[in-house]
Amino acid sequence: MSFYATAEHEKEKLQHFASPEGRDDLYQYNQKERRTVLEVLEDFPSVQMPFEWLVQLVPPLKKRAFSISSSPLAHPNQVHLTVNIVSWTTPFKRKRHGLCSTWLVALDPQESRGVVIPSWIHRGCLPPPPPSLPLILIGPGTGCAPFRAFIEQRAVQNTKGPTSPVLFFFGCRSQESDFLYEHFWLSHSQNHGVLSKEKGGGFFVAFSRDQPKKIYVQHKIREESARIWRLLNAGAAIYIAGSSTKMPTDVTSAVEDVIVKESGMSKESASRWLRALEKAGRFNTEAWS
Ligand SMILES: Cc1cc2nc3c(=O)[nH]c(=O)nc-3n(C[C@H](O)[C@H](O)[C@H](O)COP(=O)(O)OP(=O)(O)OC[C@H]3O[C@@H](n4cnc5c(N)ncnc54)[C@H](O)[C@@H]3O)c2cc1C
């Protein structure tokens, strides 16, 4: 870019960014602030770059991954997504928005010419469980997305034959603001639904901000230690989905505590026990940032 800058101060600034001494400043300006190509061109208006160069410099858009949150049995020929509309504030207090989620939320499903969403379907890290497999599902926030699909699928399977119990642990900030699919989970927890007590299942929700002391899914997991241990002994698989920041580590530690409490093993042995479960394909995680 500096080659095409005609204003001297812009050329100098761009050359500084490209130098080893300017590396930290470039990181602050570019990565930390998540500047777009358009914003950079607006910050350096004297840069008159030939269009062919610009096309070569701009990287192609990355694909965004979203978990399928509907069951093919319950909704044949449909794919439902559960999308968090990404937004955050940069260190210089600039409001940033996720590209794909912001685009998706602005689409109008009533659009008369129809809506086209370019999509590709890839196999994820969570193997679809057979109806006979007891399940312990842990999916706070949009981590509930794949588990909505699992529970819908099992509910349909349950109308055709016997299915194994499901425990589902969900977490969000508050019951009022972000209790995703509230009616769906609660209805499957009643009337012999797949999450109901009668079916050996359970739905446990942690509202982190609805009381002075924060409560997360890992607290609910520890509270339900006896039921979790019983289901693990019945051959259950554990599935975890959601934010990769701290959640999978905290949840794994809570499950280890459950094993320690209920079996009398040491924490190290509980950790080895879980690793063996993972090797056997019965401990699966899909986490994202
Ligand atoms: C296998 C898999 C399954 C997924 N399933 C789902 C799902 O079901 N639902 C769902 O909502 N998401 C899901 N995700 C996450 C989703 O793919 C990302 O959040 C995606 O980047 C959103 O696209 P976007 O274009 O809206 O945001 P982008 O334009 O890609 O912006 C998101 C990026 O912005 C940055 N960013 C975001 N917040 C901050 C912050 N506070 N501070 C600094 N930087 C920040 C991060 O680099 C982040 O990667 C999944 C990811 C994977 C890998």
Side-chain angles (χ1 to χ4, degrees), residues 111-133:
E111 170 63 62
S112 55
R113 284 166 296 161
V115 173
V116 177
I117 302 176
S119 25
W120 297 261
I121 294 187
H122 296 282
R123 190 177 286 277
C125 309
L126 304 178
S132 58
L133 183 64

Side-chain angles (χ1 to χ4, degrees), residues 3 72 113 123 139-140 146 161 165 173 179 193-194 234 236 247 274:
F3 181 78
R113 284 166 296 161
R123 190 177 286 277
R173 288 185 176 185
F179 191 178
V194 289
M247 188 273 295
L274 278 187

Side-chain angles (χ1 to χ4, degrees), residues 220-288:
K220 295 284 163 188
I221 289 170
R222 289 191 181 93
E223 276 171 27
E224 297 301 325
S225 63
R227 301 183 69 183
I228 292 177
W229 183 237
R230 219 178 304 128
L231 215 55
L232 282 173
N233 280 310
I238 298 178
Y239 284 75
I240 303 171
S243 164
S244 59
T245 321
K246 255 176 109 259
M247 188 273 295
T249 317
D250 289 347
V251 163
T252 305
S253 172
V255 177
E256 282 170 8
D257 289 347
V258 164
I259 299 170
V260 168
K261 180 176 168 201
E262 298 296 330
S263 74
M265 283 182 212
S266 66
K267 187 98 171 168
E268 294 71 41
S269 305
S271 172
R272 271 202 301 278
W273 199 90
L274 278 187
R275 277 204 297 276
L277 203 69
E278 191 172 5
K279 269 201 175 147
R282 284 172 48 214
F283 188 96
N284 301 291
T285 306
E286 186 158 88
W288 56 83

Side-chain angles (χ1 to χ4, degrees), residues 59-166:
L61 277 184
K62 280 187 303 167
K63 284 185 230 164
R64 266 66 169 180
F66 296 101
S67 314
I68 294 179
S69 58
S70 54
S71 130
L73 286 179
H75 304 281
N77 303 319
Q78 290 184 18
V79 166
H80 300 187
L81 301 180
T82 304
V83 177
N84 175 37
I85 304 159
V86 176
S87 75
W88 75 99
T89 308
T90 69
F92 282 106
K93 305 275 176 267
R94 289 151 24 97
K95 192 90 182 149
R96 303 274 75 187
H97 300 278
L99 187 71
C100 181
S101 53
T102 307
W103 177 75
L104 278 173
V105 78
L107 294 177
D108 177 6
Q110 311 302 331
E111 170 63 62
S112 55
R113 284 166 296 161
V115 173
V116 177
I117 302 176
S119 25
W120 297 261
I121 294 187
H122 296 282
R123 190 177 286 277
C125 309
L126 304 178
S132 58
L133 183 64
L135 296 174
I136 299 164
L137 310 176
I138 301 145
T142 46
C144 71
F147 305 141
R148 177 178 178 262
F150 282 20
I151 289 163
E152 275 194 339
Q153 182 86 350
R154 194 152 280 199
V156 176
Q157 289 162 341
N158 191 41
T159 61
K160 298 182 176 148
T163 56
S164 285
V166 185

Side-chain angles (χ1 to χ4, degrees), residues 212-224:
K213 192 170 174 289
K214 292 201 174 139
I215 298 178
Y216 296 110
V217 277
Q218 51 272 28
H219 297 109
K220 295 284 163 188
I221 289 170
R222 289 191 181 93
E223 276 171 27
E224 297 301 325

